[in-house]
Amino acid sequence: MNSKQSRFVIGLVIALIVVIFAVLNVNPVTVSFGFTHVKLPLIILIIVSLLLGAIITMLLASSGKKKDNDKLSRSARKQISNVKVSNDGQIADALKENQVKKQTK
């Protein structure tokens, strides 16, 4: 099983545990937002909290990857440029050697 498959299976197991936990907790609870109090079933509170956590995680994970990709692409461009310069130097050296060989013949 590769890494993506194992993470998917682990995610499904965790989601199943959360759903079972939420279904077992349907009693109403009072939630305080500072300026008001709301009475909600605990299942709604659990599922909303889970969804908000997933959204925050996706937003934070995607922004970090983009920065890493930008850094990687800059680094890759620099390495490619260095390789081109190195190859150009090697080609120039080879041409000089060929000219020297032709002149000595």
Side-chain angles (χ1 to χ4, degrees), residues 27-33 36-42 45:
N27 297 334
V29 294
T30 302
V31 180
S32 174
F33 289 105
T36 186
H37 297 282
V38 179
K39 211 167 204 180
L40 293 171
L42 188 55
L45 189 61

Side-chain angles (χ1 to χ4, degrees), residues 79-95:
Q79 287 179 354
I80 289 171
S81 174
N82 290 342
V83 168
K84 285 181 180 177
V85 168
S86 174
N87 284 343
D88 290 346
Q90 290 174 352
I91 291 170
D93 291 342
L95 288 172

